[in-house]
Amino acid sequence: MTTRQEWIRYLGLGGLVLVCLGLLGLAAWQLVQLERQMRIGASENMIWVFGQAQIEALNLALALSDEAPPQQVQTRFDVLLSRLTLLEEGPQRRFLEDAGISETLAGWRSGLLALDPAQGADPAALRAHVTALVAALRGKASLVMSHEWKIQAERLDRLGHLHRLALVSVLGAALAGLGLAAILIDHEKRLMRGRLDRLQAEKLAGDLERERETSENHRRFADLIAHQLRTPLAVIDSAMHRLTRRGGPVSPELVSEKAAVSREAVARLVKLTDTALMMSRLERDGVLPHLGAHDLRDLAASVIDDLMMTAQGREPSRIRQPEQTTPMVALCDPALSGEILINLLSNALLYSPLDCRVDVEVSQSQTHIVCRVEDRGRGMSPEEIACAFDRFHRGSGHETLPGSGLGLTLARHLARMQGGDVNLTQRVGGGLTAALYLPRETSA
């Protein structure tokens, strides 16, 4: 969508909001007017008020005809006078003025006051005046009724008009709200599509990155095959060639020497193959740890013994493990943990001078059992340590040494599968310290 279209869309959205709010405000104002119109005013129901005056006039006329006691006549007189006074005040007077009968009633009230029984007026004159008043009220009653019906009709017309206006305003606001909702839904759909497109783009970028990493790993694996497999094969081939070369008899010492060289080359090939197979199984989630309580101190001693038995020409005394009596029980898989220690110890022996020792110490923290392997080699820079666990990474200057570049990657992966970790730090005085952390068995 272009910028111009975006502006048009936003203006339309703002216009719909204003229309919706304006119509709602108009509907609210009309409802207020309706409420005011529906209030019952003081001038309403004038038929009942006028009728009451007429009834009181009849009552007074009957009292006078029946020659009722003076007190009763006076009471009826006073009530009728109050009714006529009420009709001459405030909204009732305005109603009667609109109906055109206020002047007539005013004259009758004045005549009635002049004939007050309390003032000794003539009863016969009062009877005649009241009789004439009853007839006049009866005659004006139809005018009052007609005028009130006319007022009510006009009021109902105004109420109906306000009601229709309010209804139209509400319907208009509803239509504007529907338009607004449609725009918002469309906007939300666009945002959702944008998010999906972004997620798909990120997924595609991730897939491409993984594909690139896979291709890079394949390339490095090909380099590994080219360099690390050819070397021991060349050693074996050279040894076999030396033993089968024509000439004098082969001495037993030479056979033993070449056999030892060949066995070590085969051991390197087997180790390299085992590491590659283990990584392949890990990538396929084909390795599951079987966790249990094991003394990591005993496990490290066993790994050291096995390593020295298979390491031809290496001095066993290079690896030193202090005597410890306190059990260091970790929650781990002994086979996977042994594989980790073999990798850490092999690296320490490989990358440190032959005359330098390697220290192995097992300790415990509050949450972990830690096995530290310290060598006295050339060590690694912080940048090299940061990349040491990358797959196929080889330290600078170590390219000619045997190794796959998978050992540390495999070690960290196996440690994390057991809830632990492996890290490298520079050793004070030179060399590296490789530390294996495994969860401590708290129930032991």
Side-chain angles (χ1 to χ4, degrees):
M1 182 177 288
T2 64
T3 304
R4 178 184 176 86
Q5 290 173 328
E6 286 285 345
W7 272 106
I8 293 175
R9 190 165 174 274
Y10 286 136
L11 288 175
L13 186 63
L16 279 176
V17 171
L18 292 176
V19 169
C20 184
L21 293 177
L23 289 174
L24 287 175
L26 181 60
W29 180 81
Q30 288 160 353
L31 289 175
V32 171
Q33 295 299 315
L34 271 174
E35 191 273 339
R36 290 179 177 175
Q37 292 289 332
M38 292 175 67
R39 291 177 185 174
I40 298 177
S43 62
E44 295 179 4
N45 207 9
M46 280 298 296
I47 296 176
W48 180 85
V49 177
F50 202 85
Q52 289 297 312
Q54 187 178 0
I55 291 172
E56 294 302 329
L58 286 172
N59 289 333
L60 179 58
L62 288 175
L64 292 172
S65 298
D66 297 339
E67 296 181 354
Q71 183 63 35
Q72 183 178 355
V73 172
Q74 185 63 45
T75 302
R76 293 297 179 187
F77 179 85
D78 293 339
V79 173
L80 176 60
L81 186 62
S82 66
R83 294 288 186 268
L84 293 176
T85 302
L86 179 64
L87 290 175
E88 287 191 350
E89 292 180 349
Q92 289 81 9
R93 181 179 179 82
R94 289 195 294 273
F95 179 88
L96 295 176
E97 286 176 352
D98 293 339
I101 59 177
S102 60
E103 295 298 332
T104 303
L105 290 178
W108 284 109
R109 179 177 175 277
S110 300
L112 188 64
L113 281 173
L115 297 172
D116 189 351
Q119 302 298 326
D122 182 11
L126 177 60
R127 186 183 307 112
H129 185 78
V130 172
T131 301
L133 176 60
V134 170
L137 290 174
R138 187 184 303 115
K140 301 300 181 183
S142 60
L143 292 176
V144 171
M145 182 181 299
S146 175
H147 188 67
E148 182 164 323
W149 284 359
K150 179 183 176 183
I151 293 174
Q152 292 295 335
E154 292 175 351
R155 180 168 170 266
L156 290 176
D157 288 343
R158 290 196 299 274
L159 289 175
H161 180 66
L162 289 173
H163 180 266
R164 286 191 294 275
L165 286 178
L167 184 61
V168 170
S169 299
V170 171
L171 290 176
L175 291 176
L178 288 176
L180 186 62
I183 291 178
L184 292 176
I185 291 173
D186 180 67
H187 180 66
E188 187 64 24
K189 286 182 178 179
R190 290 172 184 273
L191 289 177
M192 186 63 70
R193 282 198 295 270
R195 293 193 194 100
L196 290 176
D197 292 342
R198 186 167 58 257
L199 289 176
Q200 289 176 352
E202 291 175 355
K203 182 177 182 301
L204 180 60
D207 292 342
L208 291 175
E209 180 62 22
R210 283 191 291 276
E211 183 67 23
R212 189 192 66 77
E213 291 179 355
T214 302
S215 299
E216 180 65 16
N217 289 335
H218 288 166
R219 186 190 66 77
R220 291 186 176 186
F221 185 73
D223 292 342
L224 172 70
I225 295 298
H227 292 88
Q228 299 302 327
L229 292 186
R230 289 175 61 114
T231 301
L233 290 176
V235 171
I236 296 172
D237 180 67
S238 175
M240 294 299 103
H241 180 72
R242 178 69 179 84
L243 293 176
T244 58
R245 187 173 56 186
R246 291 182 180 181
V250 180
S251 64
E253 293 77 8
L254 182 60
V255 172
S256 177
E257 177 189 350
K258 296 304 178 185
V261 170
S262 298
R263 287 185 60 194
E264 188 167 355
V266 169
R268 286 165 53 191
L269 285 174
V270 171
K271 175 62 178 172
L272 182 61
T273 304
D274 289 345
T275 301
L277 289 175
M278 179 64 81
M279 286 300 300
S280 176
R281 290 176 60 196
L282 289 174
E283 290 177 348
R284 292 183 284 106
D285 295 328
V287 179
L288 295 176
H290 300 284
L291 302 180
H294 300 280
D295 191 336
L296 193 59
R297 180 200 55 185
D298 294 340
L299 185 60
S302 176
V303 169
I304 292 171
D305 293 341
D306 294 341
L307 192 62
M308 288 300 100
M309 288 178 63
T310 57
Q312 300 296 325
R314 292 176 180 169
E315 177 57 46
S317 61
R318 286 183 64 195
I319 301 179
R320 296 181 182 178
Q321 182 180 16
E323 293 292 337
Q324 292 177 285
T325 57
T326 304
M328 301 291 174
V329 181
L331 184 62
C332 63
D333 184 315
L336 301 183
S337 301
E339 183 69 24
I340 297 170
L341 292 175
I342 288 174
N343 277 287
L344 299 183
L345 284 167
S346 298
N347 285 343
L349 293 171
L350 181 64
Y351 296 124
S352 60
L354 294 175
D355 56 348
C356 293
R357 74 175 190 272
V358 172
D359 293 323
V360 177
E361 181 181 6
V362 181
S363 60
Q364 62 183 0
S365 65
Q366 188 172 1
T367 56
H368 289 83
I369 302 296
V370 186
C371 180
R372 290 183 174 82
V373 178
E374 295 184 344
D375 67 61
R376 288 165 174 75
R378 60 189 292 258
M380 301 173 70
S381 66
E383 293 77 15
E384 289 175 323
I385 289 176
C387 303
F389 292 94
D390 293 345
R391 186 173 298 187
F392 300 118
H393 177 78
R394 303 296 304 277
S396 60
H398 297 157
E399 292 83 358
T400 58
L401 294 176
S404 62
L406 294 172
L408 287 177
T409 306
L410 180 64
R412 172 167 279 183
H413 200 142
L414 294 176
R416 290 181 174 177
M417 287 179 64
Q418 302 173 78
D421 203 351
V422 172
N423 63 26
L424 291 178
T425 56
Q426 292 176 323
R427 176 183 171 275
V428 177
L432 283 177
T433 297
L436 166 63
Y437 293 82
L438 291 174
R440 186 175 175 178
E441 172 53 46
T442 56
S443 62

